[in-house]
């Protein structure tokens, strides 16, 4: 294991590409690290919105909300998503009406967020402006940007257990209704190639001092952000080093469904394969640096040989201090 000392001062402008739970927990660590060092770091988060869905007439943005609630201290820590002290009365009433879908956990407190968001969208505000307004309450300590203001939805091609037919369902249906336990054949981010980056997204990449890629899902979280037109180009051109953290430890995800989705797109489920899937920046890929867990330390020489600076450090985000150590190790990889 490498014990590279953390940088004295975190960079001034840090941009982080985030999914939901994995991204949010990593961001807690980034904020704790910045607080530890007393630095003034401007943190911009570009969050995945391809998990978003319309539910009972409401716009729900799971990854934006997970980041906002986690950093704003409103999250249910055990569950990792949704509001603390949640009740489920509204969902029970909807189910009593037989209103579909019934598989999505819609909490009463959470509902208020979706109501405010939907009302603002209906009034003509773009999602980025709505997110900024919601964050005025939560004060997450970062600038939280949706990757796009446009509608993008990840669908997963599955064998539907109801009738054995192959069909595409919304990612949330695959994950929450089917628990990612049905065979997945493809991942289709609908609308991604037509969307525009939200205001500030490309600037946050080109003006950053460092770009961090948390252990978020490489396909349906980071992968969709990278698919927003202009994002890859901005990342290729930015002078900022791009450092990533593996969400795969010992050949499996820590939580979620990355293993299944990596298989669906033909990428081996290993810390090394995900790094190579992102690619070395000097070969036209994403990464300058990559952290793997000590159980995957044997991948380090090969990744270094492929042009990615690589270290093995413990990557379990058991609490914000553990996440802060991971963030420090990521920043220590900055050349
Ligand atoms: P989601 O949108 O809620 O699924 O969250 P993300 O996409 O941001 O993060 C999910 C990914 O984070 C999964 O693929 C997990 O393997 C990874 N992850 C979750 N907890 C940990 C952890 O403690 N350490 C590491 N290294 N990865 C984690
Ligand atoms: Ca997500």
């Amino acid at each position: 294991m490498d014990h590279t000392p953390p940088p004295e001062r975190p960079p001034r402008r840090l941009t982080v590409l985030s999914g939901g739970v994995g991204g949010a927990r990593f961001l807690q660590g980034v904020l704790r690290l910045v607080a530890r060092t007393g630095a003034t770091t401007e943190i911009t988060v570009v969050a995945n919105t391809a998990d978003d869905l319309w539910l009972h007439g409401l716009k729900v943005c799971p990854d934006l909300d997970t980041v906002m609630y986690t950093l704003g201290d409103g999250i249910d820590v055990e569950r990792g998503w949704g509001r603390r002290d949640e009740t489920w009365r509204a969902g029970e009433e909807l189910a009593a009406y037989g209103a579909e879908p019934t598989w999505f956990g819609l909490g009463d407190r959470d509902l208020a967020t979706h109501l405010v968001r939907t009302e603002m969208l209906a009034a003509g505000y773009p999602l980025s402006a709505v997110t900024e307004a919601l964050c005025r309450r939560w004060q997450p300590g970062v600038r939280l940007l949706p990757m796009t203001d446009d509608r993008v939805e990840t669908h997963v091609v599955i064998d539907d257990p109801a009738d054995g037919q192959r069909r595409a369902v919304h990612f949330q249906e695959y994950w929450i209704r089917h628990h990612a336990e049905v065979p997945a054949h493809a991942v289709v981010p609908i609308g991604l190639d037509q969307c525009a980056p939200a205001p500030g997204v490309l600037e946050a990449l080109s003006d950053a001092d460092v770009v961090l890629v948390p252990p978020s899902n490489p396909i349906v979280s980071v992968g969709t952000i990278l698919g927003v037109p202009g994002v890859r180009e901005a990342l290729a051109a930015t002078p900022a080093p791009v450092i990533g953290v593996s969400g795969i430890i010992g050949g499996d995800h820590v939580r979620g469904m990355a293993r299944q989705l990596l298989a669906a797109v033909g990428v081996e489920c290993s810390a090394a394969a995900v790094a190579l899937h992102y690619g070395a920046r000097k070969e036209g890929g994403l990464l300058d640096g990559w952290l793997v867990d000590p159980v995957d330390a044997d991948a380090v020489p090969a990744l270094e040989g492929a042009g990615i600076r690589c270290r093995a450090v413990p990557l379990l985000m058991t609490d914000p201090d553990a996440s802060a150590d991971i963030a420090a190790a990521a920043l220590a990889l900055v050349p």
Side-chain angles (χ1 to χ4, degrees), residues 19-20 48 51 63 171 221:
N48 172 50
D51 293 6
D63 287 359
F171 165 75
S221 294

Side-chain angles (χ1 to χ4, degrees), residues 4-333:
T4 317
E8 305 264 301
R9 294 233 151 246
R12 211 169 63 72
R13 285 165 308 185
L14 197 56
T15 297
V16 184
L17 314 182
S18 180
V21 180
R25 291 192 174 164
F26 180 74
L27 280 161
Q28 272 185 314
V30 172
L31 283 167
R32 174 121 347 160
L33 176 69
V34 168
R36 265 189 209 162
T37 56
T40 44
T41 297
E42 231 175 77
I43 303 165
T44 303
V45 177
V46 178
N48 172 50
T49 57
D51 293 6
D52 295 7
L53 71 166
W54 285 89
L55 202 70
H56 308 296
L58 301 176
K59 176 76 162 177
V60 179
C61 303
D63 287 359
L64 282 172
D65 288 351
T66 297
V67 171
M68 187 172 76
Y69 293 156
T70 302
L71 302 185
D73 196 27
I75 199 81
D76 184 295
V77 176
E78 289 280 289
R79 233 182 9 248
W81 57 270
R83 292 281 283 110
R84 188 161 53 227
D85 303 323
E86 188 57 285
T87 52
W88 308 89
R89 297 284 171 80
E92 287 161 19
E93 291 296 309
L94 285 162
Y97 282 113
E100 296 284 344
T102 50
W103 42 262
F104 194 88
L106 191 60
D108 299 333
R109 289 181 186 275
D110 198 27
L111 196 57
T113 304
H114 311 320
L115 284 165
V116 172
R117 173 186 291 126
T118 306
E119 203 170 13
M120 286 190 71
L121 288 171
Y125 291 97
L127 183 62
S128 47
V130 176
T131 304
E132 193 182 338
L134 295 171
C135 283
R136 253 174 248 139
R137 170 183 174 195
W138 290 104
Q139 297 289 315
V142 301
R143 188 162 65 112
L144 180 58
L145 305 178
M147 66 185 198
T148 178
D149 281 332
D150 300 326
R151 183 171 178 168
V152 176
E153 283 182 9
T154 298
H155 286 211
V156 180
V157 179
I158 62 164
D159 293 331
D160 194 329
D163 56 8
Q165 293 295 308
R166 189 162 291 197
R167 60 171 57 91
V169 297
H170 191 289
F171 165 75
Q172 299 292 351
E173 184 168 351
Y174 166 72
W175 169 227
I176 298 174
R177 182 181 189 188
H178 297 299
H179 310 289
E181 283 164 358
V182 297
H185 302 287
V187 180
V188 189
I190 293 169
L192 188 60
D193 54 354
Q194 305 293 323
C195 79
V201 166
L202 298 184
E203 294 78 1
L205 301 173
S206 52
D207 299 347
D209 296 317
V210 176
V211 175
L212 294 179
V213 182
S216 290
N217 189 302
I219 310 301
V220 292
S221 294
V222 179
T224 43
I225 298 171
L226 295 176
V228 173
V231 163
R232 272 188 193 280
E233 291 77 3
L235 281 166
T238 184
V242 180
I243 314 289
V245 179
S246 180
I248 304 299
I249 298 180
D252 202 357
H253 53 241
V254 180
R255 55 190 285 167
M257 65 345 265
R259 175 172 39 79
Q260 294 90 315
L261 294 185
L262 284 165
V265 302
V267 176
E268 183 192 284
C269 187
S270 71
V274 170
L276 296 172
H277 170 70
Y278 285 143
R281 195 116 170 269
K282 43 181 86 151
E283 306 291 335
L286 174 72
L287 298 173
D288 293 293
W290 184 244
L291 292 179
V292 301
D293 190 83
V295 300
D296 300 308
D298 56 356
V300 171
L303 290 176
E304 293 249 323
I308 301 171
R309 289 193 86 197
C310 191
R311 295 288 177 278
V313 298
L315 291 188
L316 277 182
M317 300 187 287
T318 42
D319 56 43
D321 279 321
S323 300
D325 291 342
I326 296 169
L331 291 175
L333 274 182

